[in-house]
Amino acid sequence: MDAASTRRAGLSREKVLRAALGLVDRDGVEKLSMRRLGAELGVEAMTLYHYVPNKAALLDGLVELVVGSVRPDPDGPAEAWPQRLREFATAFRTELLRHPGVIVLVATRPARSARALQIVEDTAAALGRAGIGPVDALRMVNSVATLVIGQCLAEAAATPGHPDEPADLDLSALPTLAAAVAGGLGTPEDHQARFDLALDALLTGLRR
């Protein structure tokens, strides 16, 4: 497709990435290809290379799009840095669970773009105002982000190769697990409680 045809297609890098995100949300990241994405946008696959140079750049772009959508409030009193970290964790989890097919990419492909790294910068800067040095601030942000990603991987259960339906397990010889399942283990409420417990424990440790 020539340049004029590309312009007529009305494409932009943002539009290409959002179409890719829609495909991943619908069908999973393992089914994303340049050919399928081109068909979704009504163009030849080669046209997409005007906006993303290769498949790796497309996947990095998905990480950028999802992570860059997190908008924690970086302001507030210096001593409120634990609350800033909590807000970051909550917003990050919400965004990842909106796009479960991308969680595995976020877990395995480090954020590289200015758009994604700005979220890290803003969150770490909130800790800096409380006198926490840059290295420690970034370690703390990374610890919280790692907790969120791990929780979301377990919660969404949408990694490639994961069965759609879990097998029924016989828990008759495992009374503690059986009682926990009967008490709501694995429900949405349980996922929220697990997240709150882990985040509370981590923030308590970081305060020290």
Side-chain angles (χ1 to χ4, degrees):
M1 180 177 289
D2 59 26
S5 297
T6 300
R7 287 193 296 272
R8 284 197 298 272
L11 293 183
S12 65
R13 181 174 181 272
E14 181 82 7
K15 185 173 181 179
V16 168
L17 292 179
R18 292 208 171 274
L21 184 60
L23 278 175
V24 171
D25 286 344
R26 189 178 71 218
D27 301 325
V29 69
E30 65 274 18
K31 294 185 178 178
L32 177 64
S33 69
M34 300 300 268
R35 185 181 298 275
R36 289 195 68 197
L37 181 56
E40 184 79 5
L41 290 165
V43 298
E44 296 292 334
M46 289 300 297
T47 301
L48 302 179
Y49 293 103
H50 289 281
Y51 306 98
V52 285
N54 49 49
K55 177 74 175 289
L58 178 62
L59 298 179
D60 286 341
L62 291 178
V63 173
E64 171 192 329
L65 200 61
V66 171
V67 175
S69 296
V70 179
R71 287 287 180 268
D73 182 2
D75 299 321
E79 66 274 13
W81 65 264
Q83 182 61 27
R84 299 287 82 75
L85 280 179
R86 182 180 296 279
E87 290 168 356
F88 164 70
T90 300
F92 192 22
R93 175 172 176 255
T94 297
E95 193 63 26
L96 288 182
L97 292 178
R98 285 183 60 214
H99 306 288
V102 180
I103 298 172
V104 68
L105 296 180
V106 175
T108 56
R109 306 182 76 88
R112 303 176 188 275
S113 72
R115 179 177 180 179
L117 291 175
Q118 188 64 51
I119 308 305
V120 179
E121 170 69 23
D122 291 346
T123 306
L127 276 62
R129 290 196 295 275
I132 300 170
V135 173
D136 284 338
L138 266 295
R139 286 173 178 166
M140 292 163 75
V141 174
N142 182 70
S143 295
V144 172
T146 300
L147 168 67
V148 173
I149 293 167
Q151 167 75 20
C152 288
L153 280 170
E155 188 169 348
T159 53
H162 196 288
D164 293 333
E165 294 294 335
D168 290 331
L169 299 176
D170 181 3
L171 300 179
S172 58
L174 305 168
T176 302
L177 286 176
V181 170
L185 187 72
T187 63
E189 293 78 15
D190 175 54
H191 286 305
Q192 182 67 54
R194 288 192 218 182
F195 174 71
D196 291 339
L197 176 64
L199 183 58
D200 286 346
L202 178 57
L203 292 178
T204 296
L206 291 177
R207 286 189 188 96
R208 295 176 181 171

